Amino acid sequence: MGSIDTGNILSGLDIASSIAEADDGLVSENPATGRAIACVRRDESGKIETVLAASRVAFRKWREVPAPRRGALVRALGEQLRRHRDLLGTLISLETGKIKAEGDGEVQEMIDIADLAVGLSRQLYGNTMHSERARHRMFEQWHPLGPVGVITAFNFPAAVWAWNAFIAAVCGDTIVWKPSPKAPLTALAIHRLACDVAQQHGAQDVFGLLISDEAGVGERLAGDPRLPLLSFTGSSAVGRKVATAVASRYGRSLLECSGNNAVIVDESADLDLAVRAIIFGAVGTAGQRCTSTRRLIVHESCYAELIDRLLAAYGQVCVGDPLAEGTLMGPLIDAPARAAFVAAVAEAEAGGGQVLCGGKSLEGPGYFVQPTLIAARNDLPVVQRETFGPILYVMQYRDFDQALAMQNAVPQGLSSALFTLNLRHAESFLSASGSDCGIANINLGTSGAEIGGAFGGEKETGGGREAGSDAWKTYMRRQTNTINWGSDLPLAQGIEFTLAGNRNDL
Ligand code: UN1
C-alpha cells in the first residue's frame, strides 16, 4: 500500500482541489488500513435545493436535445472513462477495499453501459397500433421523465451510478446523485469527469451531485415531487422506507435492494466449474455484492466431495492488501460491517450451525475477516437475512424439488444459479415454477452479471430493473397518441352518442 501515491491519483483525476483542508469534512477511509485517505467537503443541506433547482432547469433544455445527440455526450464520457480506467479503478479499490481487478472491472462496467446507452439513443422505440377507427392513426411515444434521483451504495460506487445516469441521460433526463458517504472520492472523481464532458456539450447541470452523510438527505429526495423517479440501491429495510415515501407522492421508485442468492449443485454437476464460480461468488468483493453467493444447496451424493474441494480452495484464498497482486479478497468496508460479520457467525453457531472454515475477524489494522463456510439450516433467521460479508451457508438436499423450494424460501429474490448437466433440471430451474429470482443462471455463478440484461430482482429485492434490455422504459414517460385524419368522429367501441333532434352524424 505504501507504493500507492494517493496524491497522484487524486490529482490525476483532477479532484485534489475538492478535498477539504479543514478536518471537519467527510472522511474517506481506506478500509484496508482504517486510515483516512482524504477529507471531502460535505454539501450543506441548503445545497439540495440548489442542485434540484439546477437539475430542473437543465432538464427543460436537455429534453429538447435530440436523443442521438444526447448519446454523443455519453459516448464522450465513455471515452474519458477508457482514458481514466486504471486511475479510477485504483481509487475504487483504495476507497472500497475491493481488489484492483474488480475496481478496474467496475470501470469497465461503466464503459460497457456507456456503449449500450449510445446505441440506445437511436432506438428509444415506441409501437404503432392499428386503430379500430377508420382514418385514425395510433402510436406511442417515449418522452423524457424529468430529473432522476440516484442513491447508490458503497459496494459499487461507480457502476451503479453509470447504469442509471447513462441510460437516464440518453432518455433526456437529468440526474441528481447521492453517493454512499463511504465512497465520496470515487463519486467526486466521476462527477468531475461527467461535468467536464457535459460542459463541452453545453449540457451543464445534467449531472448533479450531493455529498452528504446526513440521513435526512435521502428522505428529502424520496419526498421531493421534483424527482419523478428515484433509483435506490441499498438494504431492503431502507428500500421499504424509500418506496413508501416515493409512492405517497405518486412518484416512481426503482429499487435494487438486498439479495440472498443461492447456488444449487445437483448430482450431475461439473464440480470444477461449480467450485470456481462459488469462490468468486462468495469470496469475491469480500461477499459485499448484492449478487454475492450466500447459500449453497448441494445434492447429498456430492456434498462431501464438494465441501472438501471448497475447503481446499478456501485455504488458498489470499486475503490482504486489495492493491497487491495475488490478493483475492480485501477487507470489509468498515468496523460496523466487521461487527455484523462476527455477530452473524455467532448467531449461526448459536442456532446449531457449524463453522467449517474461517469465521474470525483478523487482527491488525483494516477490517479484514476470514472467508467463511458454515453448515447451517436454510430456515435459521441469520440465513434468511443478507449479511454483507464472505459467509457462505451450506446445506444438503435429496430431491431436486426440495432444492428449488429451499432456494426460493427466503424473503429476497435477486440472483440464483444451478450447476447441472441435466436438461430437465436446467429447464425446470428456469421455468415459471423454478427460481423466483430476477436472475437465474445455469452453470455460472450468481454474481458478475453483464450489463446487456435487465438487472434486479423480486420480493424484498424490490422489483426494479436497471441496465440493459428494456430497463430504459422506467426512465421515460409513455404517451399514447391518436390522430384522426378523417372528417368523421367515430367513437371507440362503436358507441353511438347522438344529440336528440340532431342528424345522426356525430
Ligand atoms: C451490486 O452489488 O449492487 O452482477 C451490483 C454483479 C455486478 C453488479 C452488482 N455486475 O455482480
Side-chain angles (χ1 to χ4, degrees):
M1 228 140 344
S3 60
I4 294 294
D5 185 337
T6 313
N8 270 353
I9 297 171
L10 301 183
S11 54
L13 291 164
D14 203 12
I15 53 168
S17 59
S18 313
I19 311 300
E21 273 142 35
D23 290 338
D24 59 352
L26 182 61
V27 175
S28 166
E29 199 182 80
N30 178 346
T33 60
R35 286 201 296 271
I37 308 169
C39 208
V40 177
R41 259 184 232 116
R42 274 191 185 85
D43 287 326
E44 304 299 330
S45 63
K47 176 97 182 279
I48 301 181
E49 191 47 44
T50 322
V51 170
L52 278 176
S55 192
R56 215 156 113 95
V57 171
F59 171 67
R60 295 216 179 93
K61 219 171 120 196
W62 187 235
R63 68 182 168 188
E64 296 198 351
V65 174
R69 278 185 42 214
R70 300 194 293 247
L73 183 156
V74 174
R75 183 170 55 237
L77 194 39
E79 291 304 325
Q80 280 292 69
L81 288 168
R82 281 181 170 87
R83 265 177 232 122
H84 292 87
R85 184 176 185 264
D86 181 43
L87 271 184
L88 202 48
T90 303
L91 180 61
I92 292 170
S93 176
L94 203 59
E95 202 172 32
T96 67
K98 63 173 73 176
I99 61 170
K100 169 76 169 139
E102 292 193 59
D104 290 351
E106 184 163 353
V107 185
Q108 187 57 47
E109 195 160 347
M110 302 174 85
I111 295 166
D112 294 343
I113 194 82
D115 285 352
L116 183 128
V118 175
L120 197 57
S121 71
R122 291 182 184 269
Q123 301 175 79
L124 301 169
Y125 302 133
N127 293 319
T128 66
M129 304 88 183
H130 287 268
S131 171
E132 65 191 49
R133 290 172 277 188
R135 300 193 166 179
H136 280 55
R137 186 162 71 83
M138 196 156 88
F139 57 98
E140 65 187 11
Q141 300 185 81
W142 291 89
H143 290 313
L145 189 62
V148 173
V150 179
I151 300 178
T152 55
F154 77 85
N155 65 332
F156 273 81
V160 174
W161 171 81
W163 293 352
N164 285 279
F166 293 171
I167 302 289
V170 298
C171 288
D173 302 334
T174 52
I175 294 96
V176 174
W177 182 20
K178 185 199 166 303
S180 164
K182 294 173 192 169
L185 291 172
T186 302
L188 273 181
I190 291 166
H191 188 242
R192 176 85 237 182
L193 290 178
C195 286
D196 285 351
V197 172
Q199 193 87 25
Q200 285 155 17
H201 285 72
Q204 288 84 339
D205 295 323
V206 164
F207 302 107
L209 178 68
L210 284 169
I211 297 220
S212 173
D213 54 354
E214 268 177 56
V217 175
E219 272 165 48
R220 273 182 68 182
L221 297 183
D224 200 307
R226 285 172 294 183
L227 296 172
L229 171 64
L230 187 65
S231 166
F232 169 82
T233 304
S235 71
S236 295
V238 179
R240 192 189 303 274
K241 288 190 195 147
V242 168
T244 310
V246 174
S248 72
R249 60 168 172 91
Y250 295 99
R252 197 183 284 176
S253 48
L254 196 173
L255 299 176
E256 211 263 276
C257 303
S258 306
N260 193 349
N261 319 297
V263 164
I264 301 176
V265 178
D266 82 1
E267 58 275 43
S268 72
D270 178 334
L271 294 189
D272 290 336
L273 289 189
V275 168
R276 280 158 57 197
I278 293 162
I279 295 277
F280 178 69
V283 171
T285 335
Q288 298 174 107
R289 290 189 187 216
C290 55
T291 49
S292 289
T293 309
R294 311 213 173 278
R295 297 177 298 138
L296 177 60
I297 304 169
V298 190
H299 189 260
E300 57 184 12
S301 67
C302 52
Y303 182 82
E305 184 185 350
L306 182 61
I307 297 300
D308 277 353
R309 292 175 68 163
L310 282 175
L311 286 172
Y314 268 59
Q316 288 167 27
V317 171
C318 175
V319 180
D321 177 359
L323 284 162
E325 216 168 302
T327 302
L328 279 190
M329 196 182 104
L332 293 178
I333 188 68
D334 56 14
R338 188 176 51 185
F341 167 90
V342 171
V345 173
E347 190 181 334
E349 280 190 297
Q354 193 197 343
V355 175
L356 304 178
C357 73
K360 301 249 175 334
S361 75
L362 300 173
E363 290 292 317
Y367 308 111
F368 292 94
V369 299
Q370 294 175 320
T372 299
L373 284 175
I374 303 180
R377 283 203 338 264
N378 194 50
D379 58 0
L380 276 189
V382 70
V383 177
Q384 294 280 311
R385 283 200 313 270
E386 177 191 56
T387 301
F388 242 41
I391 303 175
L392 181 64
Y393 300 109
V394 298
M395 48 206 93
Q396 303 186 47
Y397 75 90
R398 183 161 293 169
D399 302 319
F400 188 69
D401 286 348
Q402 183 197 358
L404 257 183
M406 283 163 80
Q407 116 91 33
N408 289 339
V410 288
Q412 311 82 356
L414 179 55
S415 188
S416 57
L418 167 65
F419 282 82
T420 187
L421 298 178
N422 178 324
L423 178 72
R424 287 186 179 146
H425 286 176
E427 289 294 335
S428 146
F429 185 70
L430 304 181
S431 76
S433 45
S435 165
D436 64 3
C437 292
I439 298 169
N441 296 332
I442 304 290
N443 292 333
L444 65 150
T446 58
S447 67
E450 302 174 23
I451 52 85
F455 182 91
E458 310 301 340
K459 303 193 290 186
E460 290 190 8
T461 303
R465 290 297 186 277
E466 290 170 313
S469 186
D470 64 353
W472 61 270
K473 290 180 176 171
T474 305
Y475 301 82
M476 303 198 85
R477 66 183 171 88
R478 183 197 314 240
Q479 187 174 69
T480 302
N481 306 116
T482 309
I483 298 173
N484 175 4
W485 57 277
S487 49
D488 290 331
L489 191 73
L491 298 177
Q493 295 86 47
I495 289 174
E496 295 288 343
F497 198 77
T498 311
L499 290 178
N502 273 12
R503 283 187 15 239
N504 188 14
D505 62 356
L506 273 178

